[in-house]
């Protein structure tokens, strides 16, 4: 398979800070080499520094990153390549969704990312990432991302979200979002397929993992699946569905002193691609 790995090295408006160091760390940890060894043709693309802003405004910069990623994703698809975005922030998936013209999303994350400016108690933009993709907030900003169309909540699968704010829990009771846990992915895949979704974006925030098994960043909470369970679930979901692209986000190498994360991400992506090729 022809692959385009797109690096978006921002975290909360900061270039190469915090989780913004994750994309480079995944590459230096052998991700591209693992894909090449598995027989894939791999090119690396880097959006670089997209905003010259000494104040590093989180909101403006976050959506500027989405704009840049949307363009890179479209280039990849036009060249017959599957786009894999390595991102510091989850919001970056809005750019990938836009570039792919995705009409559905699989969101694996320990958090719901379903807050809005009206419900957030922290003001953390990434806590509103999935809400943005679903058109629940930041509509004007998202509309400026080339190709962006909000995803219908009925075409969203939320995987292993265990750390939810009260407002997110209330919202999930109202929206038709498909919720699942890693061992029970089959029913979620069938429900999503039944919606008629044709182009599905897969988003994996690495803090979905049990931090006792794999710690990706500072935001992890106890519980969650082991890496092999995440791999099984993501491959199980990808099997019957059409995956248009992949985002892997929120890896801060400062919380992974032994470098455990990159090889496991390599195994995840290699297995995913094998599943997609075998459809």
């Amino acid at each position: 398979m022809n692959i385009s790995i797109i690096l978006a090295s921002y975290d909360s408006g900061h270039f190469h800070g915090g989780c913004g160091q994750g994309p480079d760390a995944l590459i230096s940890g052998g991700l591209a080499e693992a894909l090449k060894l598995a027989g894939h043709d791999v090119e690396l693309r880097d959006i670089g520094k997209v905003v010259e802003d000494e104040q590093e405004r989180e909101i403006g910069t976050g959506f500027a990153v989405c704009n840049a990623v949307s363009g890179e994703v479209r280039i990849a698809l036009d060249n017959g390549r599957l786009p894999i975005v390595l991102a510091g922030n989850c919001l970056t998936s809005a750019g990938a969704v836009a570039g792919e013209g995705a009409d559905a999303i699989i969101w694996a994350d320990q958090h719901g990312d379903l807050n809005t400016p009206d419900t957030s108690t922290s003001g953390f933009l990434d806590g509103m990432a999935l809400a943005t993709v679903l058109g629940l907030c930041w509509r004007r900003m998202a509309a400026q991302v080339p190709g962006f169309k909000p995803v219908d909540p009925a075409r969203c699968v939320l995987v292993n979200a265990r750390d939810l704010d009260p407002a997110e829990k209330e919202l999930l009771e109202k929206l038709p979002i498909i919720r699942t846990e890693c061992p029970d992915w089959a029913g979620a895949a069938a429900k999503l397929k039944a919606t008629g979704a044709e182009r599905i974006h897969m988003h994996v925030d690495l803090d979905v993992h049990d931090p006792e098994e794999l710690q990706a960043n500072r935001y992890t909470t106890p519980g969650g699946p082991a890496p092999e369970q995440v791999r099984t679930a993501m491959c199980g979901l990808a099997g019957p569905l059409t995956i248009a692209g992949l985002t892997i986000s929120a890896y801060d190498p400062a919380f992974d002193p032994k470098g455990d994360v990159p090889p496991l991400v390599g195994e995840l992506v290699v297995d995913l691609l094998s599943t997609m090729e075998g459809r």
Side-chain angles (χ1 to χ4, degrees), residues 49-224:
K49 194 170 185 179
V50 298
V51 174
E52 296 297 333
D53 181 0
E54 292 181 1
Q55 295 180 339
E56 296 182 311
R57 295 174 178 87
E58 180 185 19
I59 298 169
T61 301
F63 282 98
V65 170
C66 290
N67 289 348
V69 165
S70 174
E72 287 291 347
V73 166
R74 288 198 310 276
I75 290 170
L77 293 173
D78 288 346
N79 290 331
R81 293 181 172 274
L82 179 79
I84 298 177
V85 180
L86 306 182
N89 286 141
C90 294
L91 180 68
T92 307
S93 275
V97 165
E100 294 160 7
D103 62 359
I105 193 161
I106 296 166
W107 195 273
D109 196 325
Q110 74 157 348
H111 304 102
D113 290 350
L114 285 166
N115 278 305
T116 71
D118 289 332
T119 65
S120 176
T121 58
S122 67
F124 185 35
L125 184 62
D126 242 30
M128 310 178 208
L130 181 54
T132 301
V133 170
L134 301 181
L136 306 178
C137 63
W138 298 113
R139 296 180 186 90
R140 289 191 177 184
M141 296 294 287
Q144 296 177 49
V145 179
F148 181 80
K149 293 181 180 179
V151 172
D152 184 338
R155 289 181 167 181
C156 172
V157 176
L158 182 59
V159 184
N160 271 100
R162 62 186 182 273
D163 185 7
L164 299 168
D165 293 335
E168 291 179 306
K169 292 178 181 178
E170 183 178 341
L171 188 63
L172 283 167
E173 292 176 0
K174 299 175 182 177
L175 293 178
I177 290 173
I178 303 163
R179 295 193 64 186
T180 190
E181 303 292 316
C182 276
D184 305 316
W185 51 264
K191 288 178 182 178
L192 186 55
K193 191 171 184 178
T195 69
E198 296 180 349
R199 296 183 60 77
I200 300 162
H201 182 72
M202 179 175 282
H203 170 89
V204 181
D205 182 324
L206 292 171
D207 69 16
V208 71
H209 294 91
D210 181 350
E212 292 293 324
E213 300 276 351
L214 183 149
Q215 177 143 4
N217 58 46
R218 74 183 68 199
Y219 305 110
T220 53
T221 56

